Amino acid sequence: MANKYIVTGGAGFIGSNIVSALNQRGDDDILVVDVFGKDEKWKNLVGLRFEEYLEADRFRFALQNDAVEKVAAVFHMGACSATTETDASYLVDNNYRFTRELCEWCLHHNVRFIYASSGATYGDGSLGYSDADEATWGLEPLNMYGYSKHMLDLWVLRNNLQQMVVGLKFFNVYGPREDHKGDMRSVVNKAFAQIRQTGVVKLFKSGRPEYKDGEQVRDFVYVKDAVDVCLHFADQHRHSGIFNVGTGTCRTWLDLARATYAALGREPKIEFIDMPESLRAKYQYRTEADIGKLREAGFDRPMTTLEDGVR
């Protein structure tokens, strides 16, 4: 298997958008790695150009047996991204162990390694959203998904690999090619579907007095901006480390719902529903990426506004 790029999770949300962006640059010498399973994730690859597709278990076997040839860069977006997944052993193996094996292979072969971490590593946000190395050690994720990502970030720091690899803490990414994600779709995607079906968007009520209903806030980042960050670090090797990927500006769920209605030319109709009991203790009321470190690493493109991205 000799390719210029490897994109794991390449049929998934961010991964397929990376493949699309590479195609737009004229690159199609790409190995796509994923698990098609029984959903319709495969549709994300329709119309895209790539050299080969490999299921993740076969790729991992090839990697362990050194049957993968050197490439220019690996974009490791493959992971279980379900924040509600409770099988901790599966998450540790899939999100941490597999990522570590691939990282070690890249380091051994001097291949640029860019992996997806997550804003979920910040937990409830009480410790801030700084991606400085010294701030990372004490973070307390609220769910096992976030912890599985945090484990890899800590491994990178413990072994002083932050000068050689790139970890990207994606905040709330939304955009094309996420229809297959079910409950893990962005609220933009869900709101669009709700408006088309019923005309009404349903948002969770707030469980804290300092936040009114619908005024919980997130850092919403358009997927094409997230992809631009990935390509930035693939193209230049001067900067490495763990970086936040967001806009640096938080917006409310009401802002998001209104932007969706505005894009459709319709008047907002918003209802508030009770948050499921299973989510209440793990719910983030505020996220806002500190992107100063990303800017210092030379990524100076403006981020897409929520309204423009939704439109």
Side-chain angles (χ1 to χ4, degrees):
M1 292 179 290
N3 299 98
K4 185 176 181 181
Y5 297 107
I6 296 173
V7 183
T8 72
F13 176 31
I14 298 177
S16 63
N17 278 285
I18 290 175
V19 175
S20 177
L22 290 172
N23 286 175
Q24 291 171 29
R25 303 196 328 176
D27 289 316
D28 56 13
D29 189 7
I30 305 165
L31 170 62
V32 171
V33 177
D34 213 309
V35 180
F36 275 165
K38 297 182 179 180
D39 63 22
E40 296 191 329
K41 179 166 49 174
W42 61 270
K43 290 184 177 179
N44 287 336
L45 294 176
V46 174
L48 301 184
R49 304 187 310 277
F50 52 94
E51 184 66 26
E52 183 60 280
Y53 170 83
L54 202 62
E55 286 282 310
D57 57 349
R58 293 187 61 195
F59 174 71
R60 192 174 184 184
F61 179 81
L63 196 71
Q64 292 168 341
N65 288 275
D66 206 21
V68 180
E69 295 189 27
K70 183 177 178 178
V71 295
V74 171
F75 300 95
H76 183 49
M77 303 293 115
C80 172
S81 60
T83 57
T84 54
E85 176 60 60
T86 58
D87 188 339
S89 295
Y90 165 68
L91 286 169
V92 167
D93 183 62
N94 190 70
N95 291 6
Y96 166 69
R97 180 58 59 180
F98 184 17
T99 307
R100 176 172 166 173
E101 291 170 6
L102 184 50
C103 180
E104 289 172 331
W105 180 87
C106 287
L107 291 169
H108 180 72
H109 292 277
N110 194 31
V111 170
R112 186 65 158 166
F113 183 65
I114 300 162
Y115 73 92
S117 182
S118 174
T121 59
Y122 289 108
D124 64 7
S126 60
L127 298 175
Y129 294 96
S130 170
D131 52 8
D133 293 347
E134 59 271 18
T136 300
W137 292 100
L139 297 180
E140 299 177 355
L142 293 174
N143 53 55
M144 186 57 210
Y145 161 72
Y147 184 62
S148 69
K149 294 292 190 177
H150 186 51
M151 288 175 68
L152 198 284
D153 293 342
L154 292 181
W155 175 76
V156 166
L157 294 180
R158 276 197 307 273
N159 291 276
N160 294 312
L161 303 179
Q162 62 270 35
Q163 302 303 319
M164 293 175 274
V165 305
V166 175
L168 300 176
K169 294 195 177 200
F170 295 113
F171 277 62
N172 286 68
V173 186
Y174 67 95
R177 296 189 171 93
E178 59 169 318
D179 290 343
H180 67 282
K181 294 183 66 176
D183 285 343
M184 292 298 109
R185 291 174 297 150
S186 72
V187 176
V188 179
N189 188 295
K190 293 179 180 178
F192 175 64
Q194 289 175 7
I195 293 169
R196 292 184 69 189
Q197 292 167 9
T198 68
V200 179
V201 169
K202 296 183 178 181
L203 300 176
F204 287 142
K205 294 177 181 178
S206 174
R208 293 185 181 177
E210 65 268 33
Y211 293 92
K212 295 179 181 179
D213 291 344
E215 294 189 359
Q216 307 96 313
V217 292
R218 292 285 189 280
D219 192 330
F220 301 108
V221 56
Y222 189 44
V223 68
K224 293 183 181 180
D225 293 337
V227 169
D228 283 347
V229 172
C230 292
L231 297 183
H232 168 78
F233 285 108
D235 291 340
Q236 65 85 19
H237 296 194
R238 296 187 308 277
H239 300 280
S240 298
I242 299 173
F243 300 89
N244 286 333
V245 180
T247 65
T249 302
C250 60
R251 302 289 299 276
T252 70
W253 291 116
L254 284 172
D255 290 335
L256 180 149
R258 289 165 180 158
T260 309
Y261 278 106
L264 291 168
R266 300 179 64 166
E267 288 298 315
K269 294 181 180 179
I270 301 169
E271 293 181 2
F272 296 102
I273 61 174
D274 291 330
M275 188 182 301
E277 186 68 36
S278 60
L279 293 180
R280 292 178 188 177
K282 302 176 181 179
Y283 186 77
Q284 292 175 302
Y285 276 78
R286 180 184 183 277
T287 67
E288 185 176 64
D290 179 344
I291 60 171
K293 187 175 172 183
L294 179 64
R295 294 306 193 195
E296 290 173 1
F299 187 81
D300 57 3
R301 302 175 198 176
M303 295 296 191
T304 305
T305 66
L306 178 62
E307 287 73 17
D308 286 344
V310 169
R311 189 178 304 110

